[in-house]
Amino acid sequence: MVIERTYVNDIKKNKEVFLQGWVHDIRELPKARFILLRDITGIVQCVLKQDSKGFNEKLTLESVISVKGKVKDAKLTSEELSVNDMEVLVDSLELLHKAENLPMQVFEKDKNIMTDLSVRLDNRSLDLRKKRIQAIFKIQSEIAGSFRDFFRKNNFIEIQTPSIIASASEGGTSLFSVDYFEKKAYLAQSPQLYKQLATISLEKVFTIAPVWRAEKHNTTRHLNESRQMDIEVAFADDFSAMKYLEECVSFIVSNVIKNCSKELNVLNLKLRVPKSKYLSYDEAVKLCKLKNGDDFSPEDERKLCNMFPDTIIFTHSWPISLKPFYILPKDKKLSKGFDALYNGIEISSGGQRVHIPEILVKNLKDKGLNPKNFEFYVNSFKFGSPIHSGWSIGLERFTMSLLKLDNIREAVLYPRDRDRIAP
Ligand code: ATP
Ligand code: MG
């Protein structure tokens, strides 16, 4: 009889099963072997007796095996197991691929000897076999999927913007240059300009785009390559954009709570859908005891978030001087730019954009940028441009903030930072 593969998560008492996975742990007794088999859904104990086929197979940790057998009642206590009330009595075991010379442990039995982050990143594929690490990326998948679902549901169009660009989109952060035939080109530091150009025709757009920033600081919250979840809406002001952010983050967090309860358990997290708090820049500056014109340090961001736990804090009406050239001025000093903070850290920046070419040219000059390099962009606003607003949430930054990770490198498969471009 051919039985189809069963995932650990789906095994049922007294059923015949065919499991495939990795050897998570082995305990040998003279007359029995206890093997913990792990697949992407969980870990189950498999018991081999002397009459089980494959009893003498030379097994190593992380070898790939398949097992046929019958599911029995059990009373197990190991925290490592995802199934404690069942085990598999093995009829036959097959060694499919033998693992050798593991550079690091997958099952971290002793929490006092955890592998260093740099060794883990050097062996990331092996690192991805750990429950904790799998939980992070399953949740990140839920985050990105929910972002997409939310905006598709709201009739936004998903767009793809170029990654190779001819000039800086923001000024501010430095760009990585690339040789582009006989010219010099750059890697996009954000989809900003292109998503705006799409919006003044398509009205409501979103994208998940990789971005590159040659920021030299090597912090726990910055990567040199990251992914941004961006939206842009026509006929909308800064406050409507913040409303979208509020609703989108609520949708994402409720989906994570609903669909990732096992993963949240593994990470020891209890999440709540955040509330929102709107503060003008002036109010936020006062709360942090800063001077007008100061930017918020990471410490200030933490302080503000501690004042309003489980809350997305929107700081709006920022001084023009602290926001990029494409943010619309509100009066002589203030702009329609905003930031969003969550769990102690900035997760997003956004605002209402400049849709008037003359103001754009002035802003570019004021920021020391050359309007000549932005002609294609500025000119597009001459052909009938609605007001428009939007924002960008860093995918890894948001994952870090939601899961309270202490380093953003935990939230990206293969980080690119000052010291690391391989693997
Ligand atoms: P920060 O002030 O935290 O350095 P920023 O204001 O320079 O960020 P934005 O240009 O506002 O960044 O980018 C939008 C969002 O993208 C940020 O709110 C953050 O979530 C994320 N982000 C920005 N820079 C990085 C980076 N270097 N690594 C990872 N995520 C980033
Ligand atoms: Mg920002």
Side-chain angles (χ1 to χ4, degrees):
M1 183 177 73
V2 183
I3 7 178
E4 273 181 33
R5 178 182 179 191
T6 314
Y7 283 96
V8 168
N9 204 21
D10 300 328
I11 65 170
K12 303 227 160 39
K13 279 178 199 169
N14 301 320
K15 291 274 182 220
E16 297 283 341
V17 287
F18 169 51
L19 300 171
Q20 291 179 308
W22 290 261
V23 176
H24 186 70
D25 199 20
I26 312 170
R27 198 155 47 92
E28 315 263 8
L29 295 179
K31 291 191 175 157
R33 301 177 87 186
F34 298 89
I35 292 164
L36 303 193
L37 178 145
R38 186 191 68 241
D39 68 20
I40 192 62
T41 68
I43 300 175
V44 65
Q45 172 159 289
C46 300
V47 186
L48 278 93
K49 298 268 172 66
Q50 277 170 316
D51 59 355
S52 308
K53 211 170 139 209
F55 180 80
N56 293 318
E57 204 62 82
K58 298 227 169 341
L59 296 178
T60 54
L61 294 181
E62 294 310 310
S63 288
V64 179
I65 54 170
S66 68
V67 154
K68 284 183 187 152
K70 191 157 185 189
V71 183
K72 297 274 179 206
D73 264 324
K75 280 202 186 71
L76 306 166
T77 49
S78 161
E79 260 185 42
E80 204 51 23
L81 292 167
S82 40
V83 191
N84 264 313
D85 60 344
M86 291 180 269
E87 61 186 10
V88 177
L89 199 54
V90 175
D91 289 330
S92 68
L93 173 146
E94 196 179 338
L95 175 60
L96 300 173
H97 188 263
K98 189 171 174 186
E100 287 171 322
N101 306 323
L102 296 184
M104 56 177 247
Q105 54 182 350
V106 171
F107 179 11
E108 290 169 320
K109 269 188 203 174
D110 184 348
K111 302 287 177 240
N112 294 318
I113 24 175
M114 302 290 266
T115 314
D116 275 354
L117 180 61
S118 70
V119 177
R120 287 176 36 215
L121 292 175
D122 287 342
N123 301 282
R124 190 54 146 168
S125 153
L126 202 50
D127 193 44
L128 284 177
R129 297 200 188 155
K130 295 178 192 158
K131 273 203 291 193
R132 205 186 100 78
I133 312 303
Q134 293 182 344
I136 294 173
F137 289 101
K138 284 189 202 170
I139 294 174
Q140 188 168 74
S141 163
E142 185 67 35
I143 293 171
S146 300
F147 167 78
R148 189 170 263 133
D149 286 350
F150 181 84
F151 286 104
R152 283 176 59 89
K153 209 173 64 175
N154 281 284
N155 299 320
F156 280 58
I157 298 172
E158 181 163 11
I159 56 163
Q160 315 295 335
T161 52
S163 293
I164 297 179
I165 55 169
S167 57
S169 30
E170 317 224 346
T173 59
S174 16
L175 297 166
F176 287 110
S177 60
V178 285
D179 291 331
Y180 194 75
F181 304 110
E182 47 292 325
K183 291 203 191 93
K184 184 163 232 159
Y186 303 93
L187 293 178
Q189 67 196 134
S190 104
Q192 182 62 36
L193 306 189
Y194 293 96
K195 74 169 172 172
Q196 279 187 256
L197 298 189
T199 303
I200 60 172
S201 299
L202 298 176
E203 295 207 29
K204 292 156 96 175
V205 302
F206 77 94
T207 185
I208 301 183
V211 300
W212 296 270
R213 298 187 177 191
E215 295 162 334
K216 291 200 174 71
H217 46 53
N218 218 3
T219 78
T220 53
R221 52 166 59 200
H222 291 99
L223 296 163
N224 294 108
E225 177 183 80
S226 66
R227 259 93 349 210
Q228 291 191 332
M229 304 188 289
D230 271 59
I231 73 146
E232 201 71 23
V233 205
F235 304 99
D237 66 4
D238 45 346
F239 281 85
S240 342
M242 285 186 266
K243 195 79 201 155
Y244 272 117
L245 200 150
E246 204 180 311
E247 288 174 4
C248 166
V249 171
S250 292
F251 183 76
I252 293 175
V253 179
S254 1
N255 277 355
V256 170
I257 294 173
K258 193 165 69 198
N259 303 327
C260 303
S261 57
K262 271 200 332 200
E263 288 72 26
L264 290 172
N265 261 341
V266 168
L267 297 173
N268 226 338
L269 284 174
K270 280 217 158 45
L271 294 188
R272 251 179 272 165
V273 177
K275 302 179 285 257
S276 304
K277 174 83 189 169
Y278 287 74
L279 296 171
S280 68
Y281 166 88
D282 276 357
E283 290 168 324
V285 157
K286 283 201 188 92
L287 286 175
C288 292
K289 302 193 168 65
L290 297 173
K291 287 196 309 295
N292 215 298
D294 286 348
D295 203 345
F296 303 95
S297 68
E299 188 46 48
D300 297 322
E301 291 178 354
R302 255 192 305 274
K303 252 197 316 206
L304 264 179
C305 290
N306 285 339
M307 292 178 208
F308 308 97
D310 284 318
T311 302
I312 305 171
I313 302 171
F314 290 100
T315 52
H316 59 84
S317 311
W318 277 63
I320 294 170
S321 57
L322 293 174
K323 285 292 164 191
F325 71 86
Y326 51 78
I327 294 287
L328 188 71
K330 181 164 161 162
D331 54 33
K332 282 221 159 61
K333 282 207 182 114
L334 299 181
S335 76
K336 285 173 166 279
F338 63 80
D339 274 8
L341 309 177
Y342 182 38
N343 284 339
I345 198 166
E346 177 191 319
I347 54 158
S348 179
S349 287
Q352 184 172 336
R353 323 302 189 183
V354 182
H355 62 292
I356 301 163
E358 296 72 36
I359 303 182
L360 264 182
V361 171
K362 177 181 180 300
N363 282 4
L364 282 164
K365 285 184 186 154
D366 288 351
K367 301 274 178 192
L369 295 162
N370 183 358
K372 266 236 137 331
N373 295 337
F374 294 85
E375 256 171 359
F376 74 98
Y377 171 71
V378 175
N379 286 343
S380 304
F381 294 109
K382 291 181 180 164
F383 314 132
S385 165
I387 67 158
H388 57 286
S389 302
W391 44 254
S392 172
I393 299 180
L395 174 61
E396 296 87 355
R397 181 72 71 80
F398 182 77
T399 309
M400 173 192 190
S401 147
L402 184 68
L403 305 184
K404 302 189 173 71
L405 305 172
D406 52 17
N407 194 326
I408 196 166
R409 290 161 186 77
E410 296 279 3
V412 56
L413 276 184
Y414 289 96
R416 268 70 185 104
D417 64 25
R418 198 74 211 279
D419 307 313
R420 183 178 286 277
I421 43 170

